[in-house]
Amino acid sequence: MLRNKVPEVTAIFWITKVLTTAMGETTSDFMVHQIDPPVAVAIAFVVLAASLVLQFAAKRYLPWVYWFAVVMVSVFGTMVADVIHVQFGVPYAVSTTCFIVALAAIFALWYATQKTLSIHSIDTRAREIYYWAAVMATFALGTAAGDLTATTFHLGYLASGILFAVIIAVPAIGFRFWGWNGVFSFWFAYIITRPLGASFSDWLGLPPERGGVGLGTGLVSAVLTVAIIVCVAIMDRDHNRATRMPALAVNAAE
């Protein structure tokens, strides 16, 4: 039995999650335009694999390790969704549907074998594997869904971002006022963070002719990276304080 290896779901968790989705989108675009796309994908895959090795090797939740893995899932998940569309010509509607089916299959198998989808019980190796498989699928699904609304449905990136900002409020309201199941509400919101962050980062980073502001994907990625580092530093500080408190309480009692 492992210690639970995911963070507490707090406001800063959601802020950091949205930042990672935004950063993954612009970083992926920046990489594939600066270096040969197959090389970029290969590099992202290797770094992703290394980040997951670190995460699985950890015996407990370590903020820097965990969020490094999330960032790399975001970057590589974006690349997977984009490669499927750009290189293989698969329409976003088709890829979005396929990723929905894949995610549903992961959840179904996870629940059938573990009897829970709660992130508060990621305390066995099997559950950890299911968790990260679901995370990967949500990032790929969110990327495809965001591009579907922005390009296929011609909403544009800003309107898509606003749309997903409204949608993400639904599970929050449902959980708070309508008694929705907490696990369902969490995963609903978790999936929506991807197209939410990606839509706004695309809007800021892409050139005007593609519907963006034109700040550049490199600059947007750099700013988002700094913001993520600040958020993770705060979570690491709070986590260290929380883990020290039981030991201090025991010492005081003695």
Side-chain angles (χ1 to χ4, degrees), residues 183-208:
V183 174
F184 170 79
S185 299
F186 170 82
W187 283 111
F188 186 160
Y190 195 93
I191 292 168
I192 301 302
T193 58
R194 176 56 187 171
L196 172 63
S199 296
F200 280 115
S201 64
D202 274 337
W203 174 62
L204 290 171
L206 294 178

Side-chain angles (χ1 to χ4, degrees), residues 143-160:
T143 299
D147 287 333
L148 175 68
T149 59
T151 60
T152 304
F153 295 163
H154 306 293
L155 291 182
Y157 295 108
L158 177 58
S160 290

Side-chain angles (χ1 to χ4, degrees), residues 212-237:
V213 174
L215 297 180
T217 55
L219 174 61
V220 174
S221 292
V223 172
L224 290 169
T225 298
V226 172
I228 292 169
I229 290 172
V230 170
C231 288
V232 177
I234 293 171
M235 285 188 283
D236 186 59
R237 180 202 62 190

Side-chain angles (χ1 to χ4, degrees), residues 5-6 11 16 44 46 72 167 169 220:
K5 294 178 63 179
V6 299
T16 309
V46 170
M72 290 314 305
I167 293 175
V220 174

